[in-house]
Amino acid sequence: MITVKDVYNQLNVLADVKLAEKWDNVGLMLGDNNSNVNKILVCLDVTTKVVEEAVENNVDLIVSHHPLIFKPLKSLDFTDDFKSNIIRDLIKNDISVISFHTNLDSAKLGLNDYLAKLLDLDDIRVLFEHNLDKEAGLGRIGKLSSSLSVEDFIVYIKEKFLLDSVSTVIGNDKEIKTVALLGGSGADFLYSLPDVDIYLTGDVGYHAALDAIEMKKNIIDIGHFTESLVKDLLKDYLSKQGIEVIKSNVEESPFKIL
């Protein structure tokens, strides 16, 4: 029988928890390492809807990218606190939660590597090397097989990442060949980028966009929710361990384009 600890150990082979950023919270968020696991649900975020989905599908373990518990909890108030109620429902239904976040972002075959390969980039290498492993680190950089205009490149990434829309900051009019990407919230890394034709990340704010134009850099904000593609990575990996794995079907971006 496969246990929660067995799943954790397999995930740690893919993305060692030592690769997590110091500010992050990764690993077993809730549950019993000795509990048996027959079915896993993989998701980006552990929300109320995702927990309901897990209960309906008789899931034993949720594996999420974003941590279930990030900020310290001072109390569990079941009156009107959504986080407390999520935790209560998980405990009541004997569902454990493992969250692998920045360690999975940085891992050699982790999320950023997966995103770069979805774009069919050549010569993929780490954008910002991890001090523990030169083959791991945040972000990836690579090259397209042939140059594209910004307009054609936008069409290309929307197709590859299944995006309806993107926000674009145009700092120069060069064609796109060399691409840097960093899933999630990576606007702060704009200032230490190597020479690339375009940078893909999420959560790009107003001031970072202004600075990019001043520095003549191109950015495409692909949105934080693009990281939901982690579900395909996790399902493919965990299914090879002989476990039934399902992807959450209830997740959607919290932002609506009106």
mmCIF file of all heavy atoms in Angstrom, residues 35-61:
data_model
loop_
_atom_site.group_PDB
_atom_site.id
_atom_site.type_symbol
_atom_site.label_atom_id
_atom_site.label_comp_id
_atom_site.label_asym_id
_atom_site.label_seq_id
_atom_site.Cartn_x
_atom_site.Cartn_y
_atom_site.Cartn_z
ATOM 1 N N SER A 35 -0.924 7.518 6.547
ATOM 2 C CA SER A 35 -2.228 7.264 5.919
ATOM 3 C C SER A 35 -2.047 6.651 4.531
ATOM 4 O O SER A 35 -1.133 7.024 3.783
ATOM 5 C CB SER A 35 -3.021 8.571 5.789
ATOM 6 O OG SER A 35 -3.386 9.068 7.047
ATOM 7 N N ASN A 36 -2.932 5.717 4.193
ATOM 8 C CA ASN A 36 -2.900 5.101 2.868
ATOM 9 C C ASN A 36 -3.444 6.055 1.805
ATOM 10 O O ASN A 36 -4.356 6.846 2.067
ATOM 11 C CB ASN A 36 -3.716 3.814 2.861
ATOM 12 C CG ASN A 36 -3.090 2.729 3.716
ATOM 13 O OD1 ASN A 36 -1.867 2.684 3.887
ATOM 14 N ND2 ASN A 36 -3.912 1.847 4.262
ATOM 15 N N VAL A 37 -2.888 5.931 0.605
ATOM 16 C CA VAL A 37 -3.309 6.787 -0.509
ATOM 17 C C VAL A 37 -3.747 5.922 -1.675
ATOM 18 O O VAL A 37 -2.953 5.153 -2.237
ATOM 19 C CB VAL A 37 -2.162 7.717 -0.960
ATOM 20 C CG1 VAL A 37 -2.606 8.551 -2.164
ATOM 21 C CG2 VAL A 37 -1.705 8.621 0.184
ATOM 22 N N ASN A 38 -5.020 6.044 -2.039
ATOM 23 C CA ASN A 38 -5.555 5.353 -3.203
ATOM 24 C C ASN A 38 -5.785 6.295 -4.377
ATOM 25 O O ASN A 38 -5.729 5.884 -5.531
ATOM 26 C CB ASN A 38 -6.880 4.659 -2.861
ATOM 27 C CG ASN A 38 -6.688 3.534 -1.860
ATOM 28 O OD1 ASN A 38 -5.953 2.584 -2.126
ATOM 29 N ND2 ASN A 38 -7.342 3.634 -0.709
ATOM 30 N N LYS A 39 -6.080 7.557 -4.044
ATOM 31 C CA LYS A 39 -6.363 8.526 -5.103
ATOM 32 C C LYS A 39 -5.822 9.888 -4.701
ATOM 33 O O LYS A 39 -5.983 10.334 -3.564
ATOM 34 C CB LYS A 39 -7.868 8.619 -5.376
ATOM 35 C CG LYS A 39 -8.226 9.526 -6.560
ATOM 36 C CD LYS A 39 -9.734 9.673 -6.728
ATOM 37 C CE LYS A 39 -10.386 8.404 -7.233
ATOM 38 N NZ LYS A 39 -11.819 8.632 -7.569
ATOM 39 N N ILE A 40 -5.199 10.554 -5.683
ATOM 40 C CA ILE A 40 -4.619 11.884 -5.473
ATOM 41 C C ILE A 40 -5.303 12.886 -6.390
ATOM 42 O O ILE A 40 -5.593 12.584 -7.555
ATOM 43 C CB ILE A 40 -3.104 11.879 -5.776
ATOM 44 C CG1 ILE A 40 -2.349 10.946 -4.832
ATOM 45 C CG2 ILE A 40 -2.518 13.292 -5.685
ATOM 46 C CD1 ILE A 40 -0.887 10.762 -5.205
ATOM 47 N N LEU A 41 -5.548 14.068 -5.868
ATOM 48 C CA LEU A 41 -5.999 15.190 -6.690
ATOM 49 C C LEU A 41 -4.884 16.219 -6.738
ATOM 50 O O LEU A 41 -4.355 16.610 -5.696
ATOM 51 C CB LEU A 41 -7.271 15.819 -6.120
ATOM 52 C CG LEU A 41 -7.872 16.970 -6.933
ATOM 53 C CD1 LEU A 41 -9.398 16.913 -6.915
ATOM 54 C CD2 LEU A 41 -7.420 18.334 -6.420
ATOM 55 N N VAL A 42 -4.505 16.646 -7.937
ATOM 56 C CA VAL A 42 -3.469 17.672 -8.087
ATOM 57 C C VAL A 42 -4.126 18.992 -8.466
ATOM 58 O O VAL A 42 -5.097 19.023 -9.240
ATOM 59 C CB VAL A 42 -2.400 17.267 -9.123
ATOM 60 C CG1 VAL A 42 -1.622 16.062 -8.631
ATOM 61 C CG2 VAL A 42 -3.005 16.981 -10.491
ATOM 62 N N CYS A 43 -3.600 20.079 -7.924
ATOM 63 C CA CYS A 43 -4.208 21.388 -8.133
ATOM 64 C C CYS A 43 -3.158 22.484 -8.001
ATOM 65 O O CYS A 43 -2.027 22.234 -7.559
ATOM 66 C CB CYS A 43 -5.341 21.628 -7.135
ATOM 67 S SG CYS A 43 -4.796 21.700 -5.410
ATOM 68 N N LEU A 44 -3.555 23.689 -8.360
ATOM 69 C CA LEU A 44 -2.697 24.862 -8.147
ATOM 70 C C LEU A 44 -2.899 25.399 -6.736
ATOM 71 O O LEU A 44 -1.935 25.630 -6.009
ATOM 72 C CB LEU A 44 -3.022 25.951 -9.179
ATOM 73 C CG LEU A 44 -2.215 27.246 -9.069
ATOM 74 C CD1 LEU A 44 -0.723 26.989 -9.232
ATOM 75 C CD2 LEU A 44 -2.712 28.263 -10.100
ATOM 76 N N ASP A 45 -4.163 25.569 -6.333
ATOM 77 C CA ASP A 45 -4.493 26.140 -5.025
ATOM 78 C C ASP A 45 -5.513 25.264 -4.302
ATOM 79 O O ASP A 45 -6.426 24.714 -4.933
ATOM 80 C CB ASP A 45 -5.099 27.544 -5.195
ATOM 81 C CG ASP A 45 -4.131 28.523 -5.824
ATOM 82 O OD1 ASP A 45 -3.225 28.981 -5.120
ATOM 83 O OD2 ASP A 45 -4.285 28.820 -7.031
ATOM 84 N N VAL A 46 -5.378 25.173 -2.994
ATOM 85 C CA VAL A 46 -6.349 24.431 -2.185
ATOM 86 C C VAL A 46 -7.438 25.403 -1.747
ATOM 87 O O VAL A 46 -7.334 26.073 -0.727
ATOM 88 C CB VAL A 46 -5.679 23.774 -0.965
ATOM 89 C CG1 VAL A 46 -6.694 22.908 -0.213
ATOM 90 C CG2 VAL A 46 -4.489 22.925 -1.387
ATOM 91 N N THR A 47 -8.483 25.488 -2.556
ATOM 92 C CA THR A 47 -9.604 26.380 -2.286
ATOM 93 C C THR A 47 -10.800 25.577 -1.773
ATOM 94 O O THR A 47 -10.785 24.335 -1.768
ATOM 95 C CB THR A 47 -10.020 27.115 -3.562
ATOM 96 O OG1 THR A 47 -10.460 26.142 -4.532
ATOM 97 C CG2 THR A 47 -8.854 27.915 -4.141
ATOM 98 N N THR A 48 -11.836 26.286 -1.380
ATOM 99 C CA THR A 48 -13.068 25.625 -0.931
ATOM 100 C C THR A 48 -13.621 24.707 -2.021
ATOM 101 O O THR A 48 -14.008 23.562 -1.762
ATOM 102 C CB THR A 48 -14.126 26.678 -0.550
ATOM 103 O OG1 THR A 48 -13.621 27.488 0.518
ATOM 104 C CG2 THR A 48 -15.422 26.019 -0.107
ATOM 105 N N LYS A 49 -13.648 25.194 -3.263
ATOM 106 C CA LYS A 49 -14.165 24.386 -4.371
ATOM 107 C C LYS A 49 -13.307 23.146 -4.615
ATOM 108 O O LYS A 49 -13.833 22.068 -4.923
ATOM 109 C CB LYS A 49 -14.242 25.229 -5.648
ATOM 110 C CG LYS A 49 -15.392 26.226 -5.673
ATOM 111 C CD LYS A 49 -15.460 26.917 -7.023
ATOM 112 C CE LYS A 49 -16.657 27.851 -7.109
ATOM 113 N NZ LYS A 49 -16.754 28.519 -8.438
ATOM 114 N N VAL A 50 -12.001 23.306 -4.495
ATOM 115 C CA VAL A 50 -11.107 22.166 -4.724
ATOM 116 C C VAL A 50 -11.309 21.108 -3.646
ATOM 117 O O VAL A 50 -11.327 19.905 -3.938
ATOM 118 C CB VAL A 50 -9.637 22.635 -4.775
ATOM 119 C CG1 VAL A 50 -8.675 21.448 -4.705
ATOM 120 C CG2 VAL A 50 -9.382 23.436 -6.050
ATOM 121 N N VAL A 51 -11.492 21.530 -2.403
ATOM 122 C CA VAL A 51 -11.731 20.572 -1.321
ATOM 123 C C VAL A 51 -13.053 19.852 -1.541
ATOM 124 O O VAL A 51 -13.150 18.630 -1.355
ATOM 125 C CB VAL A 51 -11.703 21.269 0.050
ATOM 126 C CG1 VAL A 51 -12.109 20.301 1.154
ATOM 127 C CG2 VAL A 51 -10.303 21.822 0.333
ATOM 128 N N GLU A 52 -14.086 20.570 -1.937
ATOM 129 C CA GLU A 52 -15.373 19.932 -2.250
ATOM 130 C C GLU A 52 -15.207 18.902 -3.365
ATOM 131 O O GLU A 52 -15.779 17.801 -3.314
ATOM 132 C CB GLU A 52 -16.392 21.004 -2.660
ATOM 133 C CG GLU A 52 -16.823 21.903 -1.516
ATOM 134 C CD GLU A 52 -17.687 23.065 -1.980
ATOM 135 O OE1 GLU A 52 -17.799 23.267 -3.219
ATOM 136 O OE2 GLU A 52 -18.241 23.788 -1.115
ATOM 137 N N GLU A 53 -14.424 19.252 -4.364
ATOM 138 C CA GLU A 53 -14.148 18.332 -5.479
ATOM 139 C C GLU A 53 -13.424 17.082 -4.979
ATOM 140 O O GLU A 53 -13.740 15.958 -5.407
ATOM 141 C CB GLU A 53 -13.302 19.069 -6.514
ATOM 142 C CG GLU A 53 -12.928 18.277 -7.746
ATOM 143 C CD GLU A 53 -12.033 19.070 -8.682
ATOM 144 O OE1 GLU A 53 -11.242 19.915 -8.196
ATOM 145 O OE2 GLU A 53 -12.099 18.833 -9.900
ATOM 146 N N ALA A 54 -12.475 17.272 -4.077
ATOM 147 C CA ALA A 54 -11.725 16.139 -3.523
ATOM 148 C C ALA A 54 -12.642 15.210 -2.740
ATOM 149 O O ALA A 54 -12.543 13.981 -2.843
ATOM 150 C CB ALA A 54 -10.597 16.654 -2.640
ATOM 151 N N VAL A 55 -13.535 15.786 -1.953
ATOM 152 C CA VAL A 55 -14.477 14.989 -1.164
ATOM 153 C C VAL A 55 -15.395 14.189 -2.095
ATOM 154 O O VAL A 55 -15.626 12.982 -1.893
ATOM 155 C CB VAL A 55 -15.303 15.898 -0.232
ATOM 156 C CG1 VAL A 55 -16.407 15.090 0.465
ATOM 157 C CG2 VAL A 55 -14.402 16.565 0.802
ATOM 158 N N GLU A 56 -15.914 14.847 -3.132
ATOM 159 C CA GLU A 56 -16.826 14.185 -4.067
ATOM 160 C C GLU A 56 -16.161 13.024 -4.800
ATOM 161 O O GLU A 56 -16.817 12.052 -5.178
ATOM 162 C CB GLU A 56 -17.352 15.205 -5.081
ATOM 163 C CG GLU A 56 -18.314 16.231 -4.493
ATOM 164 C CD GLU A 56 -18.632 17.347 -5.474
ATOM 165 O OE1 GLU A 56 -18.161 17.274 -6.629
ATOM 166 O OE2 GLU A 56 -19.343 18.294 -5.076
ATOM 167 N N ASN A 57 -14.849 13.124 -4.981
ATOM 168 C CA ASN A 57 -14.124 12.107 -5.739
ATOM 169 C C ASN A 57 -13.374 11.112 -4.843
ATOM 170 O O ASN A 57 -12.545 10.339 -5.339
ATOM 171 C CB ASN A 57 -13.139 12.769 -6.701
ATOM 172 C CG ASN A 57 -13.816 13.387 -7.908
ATOM 173 O OD1 ASN A 57 -14.092 12.708 -8.887
ATOM 174 N ND2 ASN A 57 -14.102 14.684 -7.825
ATOM 175 N N ASN A 58 -13.697 11.134 -3.542
ATOM 176 C CA ASN A 58 -13.087 10.192 -2.590
ATOM 177 C C ASN A 58 -11.559 10.217 -2.635
ATOM 178 O O ASN A 58 -10.889 9.176 -2.655
ATOM 179 C CB ASN A 58 -13.589 8.765 -2.863
ATOM 180 C CG ASN A 58 -15.087 8.642 -2.654
ATOM 181 O OD1 ASN A 58 -15.620 9.089 -1.643
ATOM 182 N ND2 ASN A 58 -15.760 8.042 -3.621
ATOM 183 N N VAL A 59 -11.019 11.415 -2.664
ATOM 184 C CA VAL A 59 -9.573 11.612 -2.715
ATOM 185 C C VAL A 59 -8.982 11.462 -1.313
ATOM 186 O O VAL A 59 -9.557 11.904 -0.321
ATOM 187 C CB VAL A 59 -9.258 13.006 -3.305
ATOM 188 C CG1 VAL A 59 -7.829 13.425 -3.029
ATOM 189 C CG2 VAL A 59 -9.555 13.013 -4.802
ATOM 190 N N ASP A 60 -7.802 10.846 -1.241
ATOM 191 C CA ASP A 60 -7.096 10.686 0.035
ATOM 192 C C ASP A 60 -6.038 11.761 0.259
ATOM 193 O O ASP A 60 -5.690 12.075 1.395
ATOM 194 C CB ASP A 60 -6.391 9.321 0.088
ATOM 195 C CG ASP A 60 -7.330 8.183 -0.226
ATOM 196 O OD1 ASP A 60 -8.289 7.989 0.537
ATOM 197 O OD2 ASP A 60 -7.106 7.495 -1.242
ATOM 198 N N LEU A 61 -5.525 12.303 -0.853
ATOM 199 C CA LEU A 61 -4.409 13.244 -0.766
ATOM 200 C C LEU A 61 -4.532 14.297 -1.852
ATOM 201 O O LEU A 61 -4.787 13.973 -3.019
ATOM 202 C CB LEU A 61 -3.078 12.495 -0.924
ATOM 203 C CG LEU A 61 -1.802 13.321 -1.079
ATOM 204 C CD1 LEU A 61 -1.507 14.125 0.180
ATOM 205 C CD2 LEU A 61 -0.610 12.415 -1.427
#
